[in-house]
Every structure is written in C-alpha cells, then in structure tokens.
Amino acid sequence: IFLLIIFPNLLLSTTYYVKNNGNDSADGLTIATAWQTINKINNLKILPGDNILFEGGQTFNGSIYLDANDANDNLNIVTISSYGNQQAIINSADNYGFYAYNTQGILLKDLVFTGSGTSTNFYNGVTFYADTAGDTKFSNITIYNLKINNYGGTGILIGSWNNNTGYNNVLIDRCIVSDILTNGINIWGNDQHTRNDYPHHNVSIKHTEVFNVTGYADSTIHKGSGIIIGQVDGGIIENCVAYNNGFWNTHCGGPGGIWAWECNNITIQYCESHHNSSGSGCDGIGFDFDGGVTNSIMQYNYSHDNDGAGYLLGQYQNANEWKNNVIRYNISENDGRTNGGGITLFKGPNTTMDSLKIYNNTVYITKSDKNFYDSFAAFSIAYWDIGINNVEVYNNIFQTKGVKLIDIPTGYNAFFAGNLYWSSGDTFKINYQGKIYNNLADWRTSTKNEVINTNPFGISKDPLLTNIGNSITIYPKPQEELTSYRLLKNSPAIDAGIDLDSLFNIKIGNRDFFNNLVPYGKSQDIGAFESNLEISIVENTIDENFVNYENPLNNGSNLHISATNDINSIEIINYLGETVLLQSGINSMNFIIPTNKLPKGAYFLSIKYNNNNILTKKLICY
C-alpha cells in the first residue's frame, strides 16, 4: 500500500491462463488451474498491467471484448497473448475476433484470429474503436505477430468518430493479414476534424504482409485495399508488402496496395506493392499519397505489375490541401496494366495541390492492351481539374516500350531537369500540353524543360539497366538484394545527374534504393541506383580500403577477401542481374572466392558484413 501511495502507476499485475482442458470454476492463476473459455475473460474486469495468456497451438472459440472498464492505463500495459512455443488460435466463426472500445494500454501479440470465411463472416478481425468526447487520445496500442484471416470486414481496423478523438502511439508489427473481404489494414478518423489537429498521432506499421483482400461490389466506395492510413499526423509504413488485392472491386477510385489520405508527416519506405487489381473499377495502385496529404515522403519502395499507377499522387474532390510531398529513390516496373502509368498525378475540383518533388526514381513500363487511359505513360497527369502547381521532376530514369515517356495535357505543367528518357528503340514520344515531341531537343527548345540557366540537361540514351521487366518479387528480403535496375558500367546515367543540393537546395538523403551511399563519384547518378562499382582489385586481394587500382582478375585464380569486420555473405551477380555465386553465414574476416569457376566477363561483387554494412564493387574475370 505504501508503494502504491508513492508510485500510483505501480500496480501489481495478475496473469490469467486459458487452456482447452481448463476449468472456468478454477482461479485461472496458473497453468494447472487455467480457465477454459474466452467467455471467462470477457466477464473479467481486466486491470492495468494484467496478462491474459492462451495455450499455444490450441483453438479457442469466440470473440475477445474489452471496453473502458478494462485496461485503460497507457502506462500499465495489458498483454493478451499465447504461452508455449506456438500461437493460440481464436476461432471467431461468424463474429469479430478482437474488439477494444474506448480503452488503451494494450499489447495484442502472438495469436491467430480466424473467421469462418469472407462469404459468411461480416466482421473485422481486430478492431480498436474510440468515440468519447473531448478530443481524447487513447495511447500505446501494439499489435504484434498476429495472423488474421477469413473475415468479411477489415483485417485490422483502428478508427474513431468524435471530432479529434483518436489514438496515439500505435504499432502494428510483423503481422500477416490475408483472405479478407473489405480492406486489409485501415486506420481512419473523423474526416471533419479541425485542421490544427488530427485524430491519430504516431502510427507505425512495420514488417507486415497483406494479401488476398478481394474487395466487393459497392457503387459508393472502393473495397479491397491492402494498407490504408487516414487522419494521421506522424506515421511510418516500412518493410511491408501488399499484393493480390482488390480483384472484386467495382468502384472507380481505389483500391490500392499501400496508401495514405488526409495525413501529415507520413513516411512510406522499404515496401513492395505488386499485382494489386482494380477489379472492374479503376486504380489498383501500388502506392498513393491521396487527398489532403502534406509534408510526407515516399522512398525506397518497389512497385510492379499493378493495374493502376505504381505511384499515384492525387487530390479527390473537396479534399483538404495537398502540399510539400517528396517521391524519391523508388522503382516502378510494368505498372499501369489497366489504367494510370508509372507515376501519375490527378486533381479534383475544389482543392489545392502544390509543391511536389519527384527525383531519382526508375520507371520501366511496357505496352498493355488492357490500358485505355489516354495519358498512359511513364509519367502522366490525368485530365480532371487544373491547378496542380510546382511539380519538379529531377534525375529520374523513364524507360518505356510501346508507351509514351511523358503525357501532360493542355492546362497542366511540370518542370523536368536531369532526367534520362529511353523508348527502348521505339520512337521517342512526349505529349506536352497537347503537342507531340519526337526528340528531346525539340521538347527542350519549345518548353524550356531540361534547361537550367540556359544550360541544356537531360539524356535520351539507353540507361543500360540490369534484368529489366522480369517481375521479380523480393519481400521479405532487403531492397539491396534486388538484382534488377542497377546501372551497368557503361551506363550514361552514371555521374550524369544534376546537383540538387547546390541548384535547388534539395537534400537528397544519403542512400539510394539499394542502400548505396549517395552521391558517389563526381556527381549524382540518374535513377534509383547510385553506382559505386570501381574495379578495386590488387594482386587478387580485396580489403575494406579498396585501393583504387584497376587490375582485372585472371579466372584461373581465386580472390581473397580480408576485412576488419566479420563477413556475413558474399554475392556475385552477372551483367544480366543473375546471382552466379552466393555464400551466406560466413562469419569470418577472411574468405576465398573461387573465381576460377566464373566465366569471363564483368560482375557485381556484393559483400555484406555482420554489422549490416554493405560494400558493392565491380569485378572483371578474363
């Protein structure tokens, strides 16, 4: 009692156990005296700091429900989880899996929530909902290592509807959400909130996989998105993947893989989004900053094979202001299969859209006979409502085959400088403000794009990218293991980018898509890859100093690598982007590469250390 008087937040926690052969008449305080049913938990007043543990590997029928009388202390977390070496399964049949109403301080982890199927269950898997008055912020919600499937509602829904009431410090981490009808993960709030605050703050979604979210026919709103966040100030989505979503949608406008709306200060990074569908509607985008997004950044993402745009930047009708957003160091491959393109902008009536910087992205797109979008191109602006202002496009690679490079209708404009344009041997084609240009020089002269202080910029040459168009998926591997869209040694994009810092005071960050340091060499490279591949071999020995001495390696010998930190893995990649040698788990400071097994030619040598540093160099065998 004395300690509680001095430290009122110090509460004695109680752990309750539940197992299939338990007894609801027991005390539940040990495994031997465990309870048997979820109903016993629902009838318990769960105090701050308590733990509810279900027996791992066992199935429990029912739904877990908490209200304002349970937990509700953001400093004393209630944990609901499994015990043992497996996850417990909550079989909610035709009902919700977990519902927390107007409460906080909850860790939900290491569980499986499964419904009866998307045709029979019409509820969410996991729900946190708040609607108290007074702009209340419920804090410290963690959803960790859950599997959620077979629900007709949303997999994970966090929502609120009372002015600016919402959630603060939300983490969704290492979850798998699949086979859902409506949406995978959806965070939303009252869209009539005051613009000096948002319902939700500090939201993180990490290392999470969302797939097979079908959507369904609804003429009023889109269905079938992977991850959506709305009404959030301060948030990050990283190391996530969304795929095979949206294929039963009928609404035009959504769905998409990973996107945000009415948010501020959002970062989406290191994510992959692919094979998302628009159904019979439109969109099916990879990534999107949609209506009302401000001061946000999208970087180091990989979008491919989506029905809609790889990267959509847009304002739906009557949205709040959209401004000060950045798209950099992303890759788009063969997006726009039915609508949109690689990077696509749009704006609806009664809105403002201002200040967008797009730089060092790589877009590769080929013809799709299913895409009847007039502006189908690597970069496009959709005709709807004019007033898209201050769009700056720098140091990107736009490579197409059978598709326009740029399409900007009459009434719209953007400024391009330092970009590389390549039509893969087809006719160069840019549609700019209603006029078609078939070469870079004419477009530059007529529009003053690719001109800075009377100096011409821009390149129209083959960028010599590795392994393009092969629809490789990489999740959950890190981005640097993608073998596509690197620059070969003779690429005209190397050291050819404009200096964005000195010219426009744009801070580009210090990494490219592949985790290489930027800039490297005389200047920035163009595109999402920063080449750092000098030949650095001295007497068949390579060390961490990489003395710059060009001495090709005879393929009759081996290469000895010596380092001051333990080497974790060695990978050699040929000029097609194919891995020809991979050795993992080395855990040594010295390693011999059997280069006598390599055919003659040029290779990339990637060395990963146990401290997570990565060094990538160029290797020649003759």
Side-chain angles (χ1 to χ4, degrees):
I1 297 174
F2 175 73
L3 286 175
L4 290 177
I5 293 172
I6 297 178
F7 303 106
N9 290 321
L10 179 62
L11 297 178
L12 299 177
S13 64
T14 303
T15 298
Y16 300 96
Y17 296 89
V18 188
K19 64 180 182 180
N20 275 345
N21 61 352
N23 185 344
D24 283 354
S25 297
D27 60 21
L29 298 178
T30 68
I31 293 175
T33 60
W35 291 328
Q36 184 180 33
T37 68
I38 292 175
N39 188 56
K40 187 69 176 182
I41 300 301
N42 290 338
N43 290 326
L44 173 72
K45 181 177 181 179
I46 301 174
L47 297 177
D50 283 354
N51 304 297
I52 310 295
L53 303 180
F54 293 86
E55 184 180 6
Q58 300 299 309
T59 298
F60 300 87
N61 297 321
S63 305
I64 302 172
Y65 179 79
L66 280 68
D67 61 22
N69 294 314
D70 298 306
N72 220 353
D73 183 340
N74 67 332
L75 298 179
N76 291 285
I77 306 301
V78 163
T79 298
I80 302 175
S81 184
S82 303
Y83 70 88
N85 297 323
Q86 301 181 65
Q87 293 175 305
I89 300 166
I90 308 300
N91 177 17
S92 53
D94 297 341
N95 212 327
Y96 59 84
F98 174 91
Y99 197 114
Y101 177 55
N102 286 338
T103 187
Q104 61 188 325
I106 296 170
L107 168 59
L108 187 65
K109 70 169 187 171
D110 298 332
L111 293 165
V112 176
F113 289 91
T114 186
S116 60
T118 58
S119 62
T120 55
N121 182 299
F122 303 104
Y123 293 87
N124 304 320
V126 170
T127 301
F128 285 84
Y129 182 72
D131 62 1
T132 61
D135 296 343
T136 304
K137 294 291 187 285
F138 292 95
S139 295
N140 296 342
I141 304 297
T142 300
I143 301 169
Y144 182 86
N145 194 30
L146 301 187
K147 293 184 177 70
I148 301 169
N149 54 65
N150 292 309
Y151 289 93
T154 292
I156 300 174
L157 185 143
I158 299 175
S160 62
W161 195 263
N162 195 334
N163 294 320
N164 290 331
T165 286
Y167 291 90
N168 180 44
N169 293 337
V170 174
L171 171 63
I172 300 171
D173 192 4
R174 289 171 172 79
C175 293
I176 298 175
V177 179
S178 66
D179 302 294
I180 302 294
L181 184 63
T182 304
N183 291 302
I185 297 174
N186 189 4
I187 298 176
W188 60 279
N190 181 0
D191 60 6
Q192 302 301 314
H193 69 276
T194 59
R195 292 298 289 176
N196 61 354
D197 194 12
Y198 290 76
H200 310 303
H201 293 257
N202 304 319
V203 172
S204 299
I205 305 174
K206 301 181 178 183
H207 308 103
T208 288
E209 184 175 3
V210 182
F211 60 97
N212 294 348
V213 180
T214 62
Y216 60 88
D218 188 330
S219 62
T220 62
I221 193 169
H222 49 81
K223 307 290 184 181
S225 285
I227 300 174
I228 319 170
I229 61 172
Q231 313 299 329
V232 174
D233 187 4
I236 187 167
I237 305 172
E238 64 179 3
N239 299 115
C240 295
V241 65
Y243 60 96
N244 292 350
N245 301 306
F247 45 85
W248 288 350
N249 171 70
T250 60
H251 187 265
C252 190
I258 300 174
W259 58 289
W261 62 281
E262 290 286 355
C263 289
N264 180 61
N265 190 24
I266 300 298
T267 298
I268 302 177
Q269 62 183 8
Y270 306 116
C271 294
E272 183 175 1
S273 185
H274 63 93
H275 294 95
N276 293 295
S277 175
S278 58
S280 60
C282 58
D283 282 345
I285 49 88
F287 298 89
D288 179 17
F289 281 158
D290 217 290
V293 172
T294 57
N295 306 307
S296 295
I297 185 167
M298 201 181 289
Q299 59 186 2
Y300 315 130
N301 299 296
Y302 176 35
S303 175
H304 59 98
D305 302 287
N306 293 292
D307 276 5
Y311 301 90
L312 185 67
L313 299 317
Q315 273 282 68
Y316 55 80
Q317 187 171 357
N318 299 319
N320 284 306
E321 64 179 351
W322 192 107
K323 67 177 183 180
N324 296 337
N325 297 313
V326 173
I327 313 299
R328 67 181 186 183
Y329 289 106
N330 303 287
I331 293 174
S332 168
E333 176 188 85
N334 276 333
D335 291 309
R337 296 300 84 193
T338 67
N339 67 101
I343 299 173
T344 299
L345 284 63
F346 77 91
K347 175 186 174 296
N350 303 316
T351 62
T352 61
M353 188 171 182
D354 196 357
S355 299
L356 170 63
K357 293 179 174 59
I358 301 171
Y359 59 87
N360 284 101
N361 302 284
T362 296
V363 177
Y364 175 75
I365 192 166
T366 61
K367 184 179 179 181
S368 171
D369 291 334
K370 294 181 179 180
N371 190 320
F372 299 102
Y373 179 56
D374 290 340
S375 299
F376 187 27
F379 181 99
S380 62
I381 296 179
Y383 184 83
W384 188 6
D385 184 69
I386 61 173
I388 300 176
N389 300 313
N390 299 311
V391 177
E392 303 168 54
V393 187
Y394 304 124
N395 290 348
N396 301 283
I397 292 176
F398 298 118
Q399 181 170 351
T400 62
K401 188 171 181 61
V403 181
K404 287 172 286 188
L405 291 157
I406 307 294
D407 192 291
I408 296 180
T410 302
Y412 299 85
N413 65 81
F415 179 64
F416 295 77
N419 302 285
L420 186 151
Y421 310 88
W422 179 243
S423 300
S424 302
D426 294 338
T427 301
F428 180 105
K429 188 174 182 180
I430 288 178
N431 175 31
Y432 194 80
Q433 297 178 339
K435 183 176 180 180
I436 300 296
Y437 297 90
N438 293 128
N439 62 74
L440 177 59
D442 287 350
W443 185 54
R444 183 189 289 131
T445 300
S446 297
T447 67
K448 304 308 176 184
N449 280 294
E450 296 295 349
V451 177
I452 302 174
N453 298 328
T454 72
N455 296 314
F457 289 89
I459 297 172
S460 181
K461 292 182 180 179
D462 187 343
L464 300 178
L465 296 167
T466 62
N467 211 22
I468 61 175
N470 285 340
S471 189
I472 297 170
T473 59
I474 56 173
Y475 186 89
K477 296 179 180 179
Q479 253 76 344
E480 56 264 27
E481 297 201 21
L482 179 66
T483 57
S484 305
Y485 302 100
R486 300 167 183 256
L487 301 174
L488 293 175
K489 65 176 181 177
N490 296 322
S491 171
I494 295 175
D495 291 340
I498 60 176
D499 188 335
L500 297 180
D501 190 359
S502 64
L503 286 171
F504 304 112
N505 195 32
I506 296 174
K507 308 303 179 185
I508 63 173
N510 60 7
R511 295 283 175 178
D512 71 354
F513 175 93
F514 298 90
N515 202 32
N516 296 314
L517 288 172
V518 295
Y520 188 95
K522 294 181 292 185
S523 182
Q524 290 177 246
D525 293 355
I526 301 175
F529 177 73
E530 182 74 16
S531 176
N532 62 355
L533 305 178
E534 288 113 344
I535 301 172
S536 304
I537 301 170
V538 180
E539 296 179 353
N540 296 347
T541 300
I542 192 166
D543 62 24
E544 284 188 321
N545 295 318
F546 288 107
V547 178
N548 292 322
Y549 180 82
E550 185 170 327
N551 181 18
L553 178 66
N554 188 304
N555 71 346
S557 62
N558 292 323
L559 178 63
H560 175 254
I561 295 180
S562 176
T564 56
N565 286 302
D566 277 352
I567 300 167
N568 179 272
S569 65
I570 299 286
E571 183 176 18
I572 295 180
I573 302 166
N574 67 17
Y575 73 99
L576 294 175
E578 301 166 337
T579 297
V580 296
L581 184 147
L582 175 63
Q583 182 71 46
S584 301
I586 297 169
N587 295 320
S588 172
M589 291 189 292
N590 297 280
F591 188 72
I592 302 295
I593 295 180
T595 51
N596 58 318
K597 297 181 180 179
L598 296 178
K600 296 178 182 180
Y603 300 88
F604 298 141
L605 172 64
S606 179
I607 304 169
K608 182 180 290 185
Y609 297 95
N610 281 342
N611 62 6
N612 292 322
N613 285 337
I614 296 174
L615 292 175
T616 308
K617 293 294 173 182
K618 187 165 57 184
L619 175 68
I620 292 181
C621 288
Y622 70 95

